[in-house]
């Protein structure tokens, strides 16, 4: 198992200029609140930990499709995420049948991989063998939300006290939707009560404005990579992409 770089890909989203234009041709005018209710944004989140995916699916008004641990072999998964708060060279003492060992985080992850594969090799069903897979093991999840629910998600998960991994994901997602739908995703409401969020919203706004011209020139179907690091100072590696329509 290897440490993973998370990928956030916004690959499907409502084209608001086209939507508004088509509705106006039919004599329908959409106000700001209407824009929040209508539309959908779909993200492919690759290489997120099971710890983070459990938090993501708690957002009930959304649609999810998650990679199955029952049918996908661990050797085909992306690996694991090591929290930045756990140094790579930090070792802890463990004892197995009287034998003392000093293991780092990567050692423990590799042991769980070997144990799971060993159980499968001895005929244990994969659905049972996976029970020893740690929360750090990564998975892939597709998530679709309306703008209104995304803003609620951002208000909670972009906060300074949010868990570090999902906070990194949330800011990356916020930057992506700000690029494709600036008329809908402006400053977050939570910025009124948090200087931390207010400052980072300003950073994202500046980054998006600087990259809009390049995104507009991208070829339809191309995955455009947003440059967010080191400006947002993520706690772990996150690559952010938007598919150009």
């Amino acid at each position: 198992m290897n440490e993973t770089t998370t990928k956030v890909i916004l690959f499907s989203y409502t084209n608001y200029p086209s939507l508004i234009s088509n509705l106006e041709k039919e004599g329908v005018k959409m106000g700001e609140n209407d824009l929040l209710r209508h539309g959908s944004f779909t993200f492919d989140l690759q290489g997120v930990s099971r710890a983070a995916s459990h938090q993501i699916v708690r957002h009930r008004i959304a649609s999810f499709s998650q990679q199955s641990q029952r049918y996908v072999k661990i050797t085909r998964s992306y690996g694991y995420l090591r929290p930045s708060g756990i140094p790579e060279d930090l070792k802890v003492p463990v004892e197995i049948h009287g034998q003392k060992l000093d293991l780092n985080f990567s050692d423990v992850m590799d042991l769980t991989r070997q144990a799971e594969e060993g159980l499968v090799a001895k005929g244990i069903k994969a659905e049972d063998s996976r029970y020893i897979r740690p929360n750090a093991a990564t998975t892939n999840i597709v998530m679709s939300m309306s703008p209104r629910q995304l803003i609620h998600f951002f208000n909670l998960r972009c906060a300074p006290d949010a868990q570090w991994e999902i906070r990194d994901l949330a800011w990356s997602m916020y930057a992506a939707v700000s690029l494709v739908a600036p008329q809908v995703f402006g400053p977050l409401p939570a910025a009124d009560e948090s200087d931390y969020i207010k400052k980072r919203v300003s950073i994202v706004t500046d980054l998006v404005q600087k990259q809009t011209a390049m995104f507009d020139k991208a070829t339809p179907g191309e995955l455009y990579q947003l440059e967010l690091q080191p400006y947002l100072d993520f706690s772990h590696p996150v690559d952010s992409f938007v598919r150009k329509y």
Side-chain angles (χ1 to χ4, degrees):
M1 296 174 71
N2 298 313
E3 286 193 52
T4 300
T5 295
T6 300
K7 292 183 179 179
V8 172
I9 304 172
L10 175 59
F11 68 90
S12 178
Y13 49 90
T14 297
N15 184 322
Y16 280 99
S18 177
L19 174 62
I20 293 170
S21 176
N22 289 334
L23 287 173
E24 287 180 346
K25 290 178 182 178
E26 300 298 325
V28 179
K29 292 186 177 181
M30 296 184 71
E32 183 176 346
N33 288 332
D34 294 317
L35 293 178
L36 293 177
R37 287 195 295 267
H38 298 285
S40 179
F41 294 79
T42 301
F43 290 89
D44 182 11
L45 307 177
Q46 300 180 4
V48 300
S49 73
R50 295 291 295 188
S53 72
H54 290 332
Q55 297 179 73
I56 291 171
V57 298
R58 291 194 185 108
H59 292 268
R60 302 290 181 88
I61 308 179
S63 296
F64 302 103
S65 296
Q66 186 167 358
Q67 180 187 51
S68 170
Q69 282 189 322
R70 182 179 183 184
Y71 298 109
V72 177
K73 294 180 180 179
I74 193 168
T75 50
R76 287 179 53 199
S77 61
Y78 282 78
Y80 66 89
L81 283 181
R82 176 178 56 83
S84 59
I86 301 179
E88 186 174 3
D89 59 351
L90 177 65
K91 294 187 176 183
V92 294
V94 299
E95 185 172 327
I96 303 176
H97 299 306
Q99 182 177 358
K100 296 182 178 180
L101 302 170
D102 289 326
L103 305 178
N104 61 22
F105 190 85
S106 298
D107 294 332
V108 176
M109 294 301 103
D110 192 51
L111 282 175
T112 62
R113 175 193 61 80
Q114 292 182 56
E116 182 173 345
E117 291 180 342
L119 288 173
V120 172
K122 289 184 177 294
I124 304 300
K125 291 182 178 180
E127 64 181 27
D128 293 335
S129 301
R130 66 181 174 142
Y131 271 68
I132 62 174
R133 198 176 299 189
N135 267 342
T138 52
T139 185
N140 304 323
I141 184 169
V142 174
M143 180 183 80
S144 296
M145 279 188 180
S146 71
R148 185 183 296 279
Q149 291 306 314
L150 271 173
I151 289 174
H152 174 67
F153 177 86
F154 295 146
N155 281 334
L156 293 177
R157 303 304 187 176
C158 288
D161 59 348
Q163 189 259 352
W164 60 270
E165 183 185 355
I166 199 170
R167 185 176 63 238
D168 288 352
L169 292 172
W171 280 110
S172 180
M173 293 164 63
Y174 173 65
V177 297
S178 296
L179 178 66
V180 300
Q183 64 274 68
V184 178
F185 295 95
L188 296 175
D192 294 335
E193 301 176 0
S194 171
D195 289 338
Y196 169 86
I197 294 180
K198 184 177 182 179
K199 179 179 179 181
R200 288 172 76 89
V201 164
S202 178
I203 293 173
V204 168
T205 300
D206 184 57
L207 290 173
V208 167
Q209 288 176 348
K210 291 179 178 178
Q211 298 180 64
T212 297
M214 290 295 295
F215 177 69
D216 290 341
K217 294 178 182 178
T219 304
E222 177 184 344
L223 276 182
Y224 176 83
Q225 185 169 4
L226 277 163
E227 298 296 335
L228 303 179
Q229 285 281 63
Y231 312 101
L232 287 179
D233 190 27
F234 288 149
S235 296
H236 76 300
V238 180
D239 290 337
S240 309
F241 301 88
V242 177
R243 184 172 297 283
K244 175 67 184 294
Y245 279 2

